[in-house]
Amino acid sequence: MAVANVNGTTIYYEIQGRGMPVIFIHGHGMTHTMFGPQKEYFSARYKVITCDLRGNGKSGRLTEPRQEIIETQCSDLIVLLNQLQIREAVFVGVSYGGLLAQHIAYAYPNRVSAIVVADSFYRDDPSAVVRSLQAAAAYCSCLTYYAPSDWILPSVRLSYQRWEQAYRVIRSNLLEKRPGELYKQRLAMTGVNYGQELKEIGQPALCLASGDSGPNVLYMKELAAMLPQAQFELIPDSLPPGNLCQPELFNRLLAQFLDTLAVQRERRVGG
């Protein structure tokens, strides 16, 4: 447990284990605590880093305009790796964290061994009309961010009644939310379009989707098709985030991907 001074703010992070560095990036409205099952599992073989993005959890304030938020949060992670003397890492992002993983892969390619994107997306609808409607919906969602968490928890309880661990973590994060900064990050997602950039990402990628069907699965299949070296895997019988609803399957799929990378890395170093 530590706090780093990064880009004029503070970033709370935890680091555990040894080996190939793997940094987990949390989803929207969540914190580093969403990766409890992964930290325990993967730190036995890898150097696991979890943190709170600026504006979230125990990290410093988010004051940037919405157009600069994603790039600023990505830069924070790169500076954090610099301070930890880590040249290259695997970036695992869930939901909003998946957007950051994609951005880092094309903005900082020399710092990325591979990316894992789970339950995320890579662009808004290309239609100008739909984009405008999505932007309007984002602005209108303001009340949901400032509403007391107790108002929202019953519906969350109902949705996640089959996945107790997921509910507990989501509930904890809702009770500690920072509504103003969270809302700004929601607006930052409006207009995201990484379509062209993704075609230039040469690192290995794993795309994970929770559920058997629906928009989430479609988005992740499309993302895997856009990335030159991506594989797609499904986490059935789950809601996002799959790492909490089906942690054993999520960990197994991620472990297979990371173990392959580790072997390739050792061969390069040995050669």
Side-chain angles (χ1 to χ4, degrees), residues 15-88:
I15 184 168
Q16 184 174 327
R18 300 177 63 184
M20 184 174 66
V22 182
I23 182 166
F24 289 84
I25 314 173
H26 63 78
H28 185 62
M30 305 292 279
T31 67
H32 73 283
T33 59
M34 75 174 296
F35 294 115
Q38 285 68 54
K39 183 177 179 180
E40 179 181 357
Y41 183 88
F42 288 102
S43 60
R45 288 176 287 177
Y46 300 106
K47 180 179 290 185
V48 172
I49 305 155
T50 58
C51 65
D52 293 337
L53 300 170
R54 70 163 66 198
N56 298 268
K58 300 178 181 179
S59 288
R61 293 185 60 203
L62 175 70
T63 58
E64 289 67 29
R66 68 179 181 87
Q67 297 87 349
E68 300 175 10
I69 288 174
I70 291 178
E71 167 56 31
T72 300
Q73 290 175 327
C74 289
S75 175
D76 289 344
L77 296 178
I78 296 301
V79 174
L80 176 62
L81 292 185
N82 290 342
Q83 294 187 14
L84 296 175
Q85 298 184 331
I86 295 174
R87 184 180 65 84
E88 190 177 275

Side-chain angles (χ1 to χ4, degrees), residues 141-152 174 177 179:
S141 68
C142 176
L143 291 178
T144 64
Y145 286 89
Y146 287 94
S149 297
D150 290 341
W151 294 4
I152 303 170
L174 271 174
K177 68 180 180 179

Side-chain angles (χ1 to χ4, degrees), residues 157-229:
R157 171 75 276 184
L158 183 62
S159 298
Y160 289 90
Q161 58 184 325
R162 294 174 51 205
W163 302 286
E164 182 63 29
Q165 178 174 228
Y167 170 72
R168 289 199 308 267
V169 175
I170 294 170
R171 179 181 185 277
S172 174
N173 281 270
L174 271 174
L175 292 173
E176 298 177 1
K177 68 180 180 179
R178 296 162 59 172
E181 291 159 299
L182 193 59
Y183 177 55
K184 288 181 68 174
Q185 290 166 91
R186 170 67 181 87
L187 297 180
M189 290 186 264
T190 303
V192 163
N193 189 343
Y194 295 157
Q196 294 302 313
E197 290 86 347
L198 295 179
K199 298 175 183 178
E200 302 175 9
I201 294 175
Q203 298 93 336
L206 172 63
C207 299
L208 299 169
S210 299
D212 299 303
S213 62
N216 177 59
V217 176
L218 177 62
Y219 295 153
M220 296 308 299
K221 285 184 175 179
E222 288 181 352
L223 174 58
M226 294 288 292
L227 292 164
Q229 294 195 57

